[in-house]
Structure formats: structure tokens, C-alpha cells
Amino acid sequence: MGGLAIRDEAGIAKSLWVKSTNESVFAIYTPYILSLASGKLDSGSFLHCISQDLRFLQASAEALEMAEECSDDDDDKTVICKIRKRVLKKMTMFRSIVQEWGFELPTGNISDRAMIKYTDFLLATASGKAVGERFPGKLATPFEKTKLSAYALAAMAPSMRLQSFLSKEIQAVLEPDANIHLYKKWIDSLSSQKYEASASQIEELLDKLTVCLTGEELQFVETIYHKAMKLQVDFYSTQPIIQNTIVPLYRFHGTEEHNVVICSGFDLTCSAVDSCALLADIAIIKSSKTVNSNGYESLSDGTLLDNRDVWSSLHGHYVREYEQCIDSIMVSEKVMEFNFESLCKALGGLSDLEKAGNLRVCRSGVLKGLHMDDIKWAGEHLVFQDGCVEFFREIEKMKDVAVDAHILSYCWSGDLIRSAFSSGDSGFPDVHSNELVFEESISSGEILKKVQCPIEKLQTFDEICKKGGRLSVYIGGSVEDLLCLLKADIGIVISPSANLKRLGGLFGFSFVPLFSGLVKKQREFIEGGCPWKGLSGTLYTVSSWAEIHAFILGCMI
């Protein structure tokens, strides 16, 4: 966990929820939530989950009773008492809704492993057991015991906020005639203003009770909140369901007969910076160093500025030509329906542009003198998009699952990408890019050109996917990825660029948020069939790698 954002205007509860964004994403892509959103969840699975929710609410009522006893402020006692009454009322409401449907909740005292872990944690926190383990002797005085109220609320708040979030996300993807949805009344109850008020009341009180805590105690509050969130997500991810679901993707397709091949762009999809600009910058600095009489390297300001001018000129020339090329494509007549061939033809102009740009770079000598060690160092220190490296490392650990991973990039140096992933001798993920030419570990300034344009990327992608029985996924975000994105069975776009959106409007392909697209696919899913097909003209958008991870690999937080 990173540093705690505290004392801001939003309050600690809001800060902790924002820091839990990835966890909430993993919850929404679980088989249970996707089945619930699609309206295809088996009633037995649904009733089982409600029975577990009731056990959590019962534990919450007990925890709130303990918190009320520990509090020494009458106003706080009153608020906690009101929250407890709401929890008890909610338990009655849950049972009432089920009875209205003509169902009966499971009898007995059977609890999920995940629910047992959460309720045990909640009660241990509220009773002071967890605090005693973290801060021995801290509960010696009544004043210290008052802090247990804050800790108890920190263990309870994530569940309330996550349920509110999930219900609203589901509501947003319900079909126009939502009355046919079996669980609409349940979803409405969790996304209602009353439920939101209950969640907000707990958070507001948590904000108030943490005002006087020390930095160490605030860190403990964050630890409690984060663990509670993970336990709640684990609860959803382990809910037993009868029907097959299309998530996580690797379980649906990761067999010996049908495996998954994942390809991704690199620049600004995996990396947070443009690799070509990074290489040029390193080369410029390296070429501008001189060795003084003491044997130490120093920078020659004049040479450095000259080299930067060369790069600035190259970059400016490329950008102008690129925008002109895109503008020339945009004057084409709008197609009536998606046509892949016409798009390939339109993007053909980018091939000459990209190749000419690389030729100018080689002739300029801007990459000359770059040492292999400099490239490896740059790769090892390259900044990635949040969650990207973790995604590929998780795949690498899945030895018994048929998932292959590839990187397709215009980058001038495959060594930079391999070093960035620290793949070493493992060769994972497999990198397909251009390569710098070296003479005894020193770059000659020439580029071994392998992947220079959208067409060459597509050719590489087709070669990777030609083996039968493979479901292909392509992840990207720029025009250079477009043909691969559309050709893949599943094309996932991370924050699509402005030019990508412009081309979509002209050539008839569309962008659909991934979760809503999955809900639609789950509604249409037929046992034994494959819901995915390339060249559909639909690209799925995500805001983070956490969504991709949750969709493809499932809950592994």
C-alpha cells in the first residue's frame, strides 16, 4: 500500500475508497456479479449469497453494539445506535424481498469460508483482539478503547460502499425493459438513496472518529480497511454458481485444445512514456559526454544542445506528417458499415510515413554510440502503466494454463522492452519489434526494421495467431494498434486516443465499455459455443490494466 491520503477535504473514508479502485474492479468482473448483472444467475446461487449477506449483517450489528459501548461521546453513541438499527432493519428487508419472490432462504448455519474469514476479522477488530495484537497494551485505558469504534467502522465500511458501487454499475447496464430482470428489485434496493445514506453515514462517522488518531493509528485504519475490502472481494469471487460464465477468460478458453494468445502494444499501453523518445534522449546525452583529464565523464553543453536540436527537428517533422496523413484519411467518405479492407487501404499511407521517419532517424545518427548497458538500464527503470507488469507476471506464473503473451511494438529496441519486463532468459513475454544494430555492444545508429507500420504489425499478429484453436486478445490504444485490435477476437482499448475515435466514426467500428459488453455476451451465451469473433467491428474500452487483469485472469489480488 502507498502513503495514506489523510486530512483532505474528502475525508479518510473517501480517500481509502479511492485507493481501493482496483479491488472494486476485481469484484465487478467476478462470475457471480456478471451473472447477476446479466439476469442469468441461478436462483439457488442468489439465495445462497443473500444468506451469507445476512450473516455479515448480523456480525455487523454485533460489532456496532461493541463500538457503541466503547464510545464515550453521546452524539457518537446515538449515530452508532441508528446505524445498528438500520442494519437490523436491512436484515428484515432482505428476508421480506426473498419471501415476496416465493423463495426460502437456505436453512442451517452453513457459512462460506470467505464469509467466515470476514466476520471473524470484523468481530476481532471490534472487540479489540486485532488491536491488541498490533499495539500490545494499548487498550489499558477507557480513552484508548474509544478508538475501537473507528477501527470497527473501518472494517465495516468497505462492504457497504462496495455493494453500493456494484449495484449502481449493474443498474447502468440493465436492458431498457429492465422489469424482466429477475433480481431488479434487489439491485434497486442496494442502489437506493436509503442504502447510499447508510453507507455515507458510516463513512462520515469514520471520518469524525479518526480526526484525533496518530499517524501510526491512521495507518492501522488503512490496513483494516484494505484487508476488509480484500475479504469482501474474495467473498464475491468464491460464490458458487451453477452456470458457466465467460469470465475469467482463461478458464473458458485456457485448455490444451483451445488456448488464449494475448498480444499488446507497448508505448503508452504498457509503458507510461514513449520508448523511442526515451532511447533518443539517452543516446543524445551519451553522445554528448566527454572524458576530462581526470578520467571522468562530463557533458558538453554545446554538443548536447546540437543533438537535442536534431531530435527536436526529427520529432517535429514526424508529428506534422503524421497529423497530415490522418487528416487526409478523415476526408474520405464515411462508410455505411464496418469494412476492414477499406480501413487497411486507408491506413496504407502510414506505412510510407513510418518507414521514412525511421530512415531519417538512421541517417541522423542520433542513436549512434548507445551502449547495450545503457539500454538495459533504461528498460529496468522504465515506468509502466499501473497494473501492467503484474498482469504479465501473473500469466508467467500460470504454468499449467495455455496462455501465451506477446508484445508488438514500433520500438527501435527489443532489448529495451525485454529489459523492462526483466524477462531475462525466460523470453516472457515474447517481444516483436525493431532492433538496434550493434558493433561490440555499441549501437551503429542503424535500425533492424521489423515492425514499422500498422500493416506490418497486423502481419506479425496474424503469424502469431495462425495456429488453430486460439482465441486472440489484442490490447492497445493508438492508431498503430488499430488493425490488430479489430482483427483480434477481442480487441481491448485502454483510453482510446482522439485519432482512434475519429477513425471509428468514419469507418464504422464502435467502442463499448468492457463490462457492459461482457454483460451482453453473458446474456447471449450458449453452452458449448464461443461468444467471441474477430472483425466484429466492436472494440472494448477499459480505464486500467486492473480491468484487463480481472477479465482475463480473474480475482488474484
Side-chain angles (χ1 to χ4, degrees):
M1 293 181 291
L4 178 61
I6 59 175
R7 311 303 188 206
D8 61 11
E9 294 180 1
I12 190 173
K14 178 66 173 178
S15 299
L16 292 173
W17 168 247
V18 170
K19 291 186 70 174
S20 301
T21 299
N22 285 354
E23 284 84 353
S24 65
V25 167
F26 277 93
I28 201 170
Y29 283 95
T30 55
Y32 178 83
I33 294 298
L34 182 64
S35 298
L36 177 63
S38 68
K40 301 297 184 181
L41 181 66
D42 177 78
S43 60
S45 300
F46 178 68
L47 293 171
H48 174 82
C49 185
I50 291 180
S51 72
Q52 300 306 302
D53 282 339
L54 286 170
R55 286 176 169 78
F56 178 78
L57 289 173
Q58 181 62 51
S60 297
E62 294 176 25
L64 286 166
E65 188 173 12
M66 296 179 200
E68 185 180 353
E69 291 174 359
C70 291
S71 178
D72 63 355
D73 183 281
D74 289 340
D75 291 339
D76 293 344
K77 281 180 176 289
T78 300
V79 174
I80 293 173
C81 182
K82 287 182 179 179
I83 294 173
R84 184 170 181 272
K85 288 180 179 178
R86 281 189 172 185
V87 168
L88 294 173
K89 187 176 181 180
K90 192 180 303 173
M91 293 175 66
T92 302
M93 182 269 290
F94 279 12
R95 291 190 177 98
S96 175
I97 291 178
V98 172
Q99 289 175 354
E100 286 181 23
W101 286 334
F103 295 137
E104 290 186 8
L105 286 169
T107 58
N109 193 32
I110 301 174
S111 294
D112 286 346
R113 172 195 58 81
M115 181 51 66
I116 291 173
K117 289 178 67 175
Y118 195 174
T119 54
D120 285 352
F121 171 70
L122 173 59
L123 294 174
T125 302
S127 67
K129 180 180 178 182
V131 182
E133 293 173 353
R134 176 69 175 263
F135 305 113
K138 270 284 189 178
L139 300 179
T141 67
F143 173 73
E144 290 293 338
K145 288 184 179 180
T146 62
K147 298 174 183 179
L148 289 177
S149 300
Y151 300 146
L153 292 173
M156 194 183 310
S159 175
M160 297 284 288
R161 177 51 57 199
L162 183 60
Q163 283 193 326
S164 177
F165 165 76
L166 292 174
S167 62
K168 290 173 183 175
E169 290 293 307
I170 293 172
Q171 248 195 353
V173 298
L174 292 180
E175 293 178 305
D177 186 9
N179 291 326
I180 65 174
H181 196 295
L182 180 61
Y183 308 113
K184 184 178 185 298
K185 188 170 183 178
W186 179 263
I187 295 165
D188 287 344
S189 70
L190 294 182
S191 55
S192 67
Q193 291 184 349
K194 287 184 178 180
Y195 194 89
E196 174 62 31
S198 296
S200 297
Q201 192 173 36
I202 289 176
E203 292 171 334
E204 289 165 5
L205 185 56
L206 177 60
D207 290 342
K208 179 183 177 182
L209 294 175
T210 54
V211 168
C212 296
L213 297 187
T214 66
E216 186 179 20
E217 290 165 343
L218 286 170
Q219 189 63 51
F220 185 48
V221 168
E222 179 179 14
T223 300
I224 293 171
Y225 191 101
H226 187 71
K227 183 173 181 179
M229 179 64 73
K230 291 184 69 174
L231 289 170
Q232 182 66 43
V233 174
D234 185 50
F235 168 70
Y236 284 122
S237 70
T238 56
Q239 282 304 290
I241 59 175
I242 297 174
Q243 68 272 31
N244 286 329
T245 61
I246 59 175
V247 294
L249 187 69
Y250 88 91
R251 287 184 187 169
F252 190 69
H253 290 279
T255 65
E256 291 183 2
E257 295 80 16
H258 298 87
N259 60 5
V260 180
V261 56
I262 298 171
C263 297
S264 174
F266 184 73
D267 289 323
L268 305 181
T269 294
C270 292
S271 68
V273 296
D274 180 82
S275 64
C276 291
L278 176 62
L279 282 169
D281 204 40
I282 296 171
I284 288 167
I285 295 174
K286 186 70 175 180
S287 65
S288 304
K289 288 183 177 179
T290 58
V291 180
N292 59 30
S293 57
N294 295 322
Y296 293 103
E297 287 186 334
S298 61
L299 291 176
S300 172
D301 291 339
T303 305
L304 180 62
L305 290 174
D306 289 343
N307 289 340
R308 288 204 183 281
D309 287 342
V310 171
W311 169 245
S312 179
S313 176
L314 289 169
H315 180 67
H317 190 170
Y318 171 80
V319 170
R320 286 192 300 273
E321 286 192 341
Y322 182 87
E323 292 300 331
Q324 289 172 2
C325 185
I326 296 295
D327 288 341
S328 67
I329 294 174
M330 292 307 301
V331 300
S332 305
E333 184 178 351
K334 184 176 180 178
V335 301
M336 298 304 295
E337 59 182 22
F338 172 63
N339 185 288
F340 187 70
E341 287 70 25
S342 65
L343 180 61
C344 289
K345 183 177 180 181
L347 293 184
L350 286 174
S351 298
D352 293 338
L353 181 153
E354 298 289 356
K355 291 175 181 178
N358 284 339
L359 184 59
R360 286 194 295 270
V361 169
C362 292
R363 289 175 175 173
S364 72
V366 72
L367 299 177
K368 187 175 183 179
L370 192 59
H371 198 283
M372 176 65 78
D373 290 341
D374 296 321
I375 292 176
K376 290 182 177 180
W377 184 91
E380 291 166 358
H381 293 82
L382 185 140
V383 179
F384 275 88
Q385 301 285 356
D386 184 35
C388 175
V389 173
E390 291 77 6
F391 172 73
F392 283 102
R393 285 177 179 168
E394 198 65 51
I395 294 175
E396 189 174 13
K397 289 190 296 185
M398 299 167 68
K399 301 297 185 182
D400 58 338
V401 177
V403 179
D404 298 327
H406 302 259
I407 301 295
L408 279 66
S409 175
Y410 285 2
C411 179
W412 293 324
S413 172
D415 292 308
L416 175 74
I417 300 175
R418 285 184 282 272
S419 298
F421 282 102
S422 299
S423 56
D425 296 332
S426 69
F428 188 93
D430 197 358
V431 175
H432 311 263
S433 72
N434 302 303
E435 302 284 355
L436 289 176
V437 177
F438 288 91
E439 298 173 358
E440 297 183 354
S441 298
I442 303 297
S443 169
S444 67
E446 291 296 319
I447 301 171
L448 183 60
K449 306 173 187 69
K450 297 181 177 180
V451 185
Q452 300 187 83
C453 61
I455 298 297
E456 290 184 358
K457 249 193 179 184
L458 179 62
Q459 291 170 345
T460 304
F461 178 69
D462 285 340
E463 185 67 21
I464 293 170
C465 298
K466 68 179 182 180
K467 184 179 178 180
R470 287 187 161 198
L471 182 83
S472 60
V473 179
Y474 192 93
I475 305 162
S478 64
V479 174
E480 68 183 59
D481 299 309
L482 183 52
L483 298 182
C484 295
L485 283 166
L486 290 165
K487 186 68 176 293
D489 294 312
I490 307 172
I492 302 177
V493 184
I494 302 180
S495 302
S497 67
N499 281 329
L500 208 60
K501 292 180 179 178
R502 291 172 67 195
L503 291 172
L506 183 65
F507 288 97
F509 58 89
S510 59
F511 299 92
V512 175
L514 179 60
F515 179 64
S516 63
L518 292 178
V519 170
K520 185 174 184 295
K521 291 288 186 182
Q522 187 65 41
R523 289 192 193 113
E524 300 169 348
F525 176 60
I526 300 175
E527 294 287 345
C530 178
W532 309 106
K533 186 178 181 180
L535 298 177
S536 65
T538 299
L539 299 179
Y540 298 96
T541 60
V542 297
S543 59
S544 68
W545 275 92
E547 285 192 72
I548 298 171
H549 192 144
F551 164 47
I552 296 176
L553 303 182
C555 185
M556 298 182 181
I557 61 173

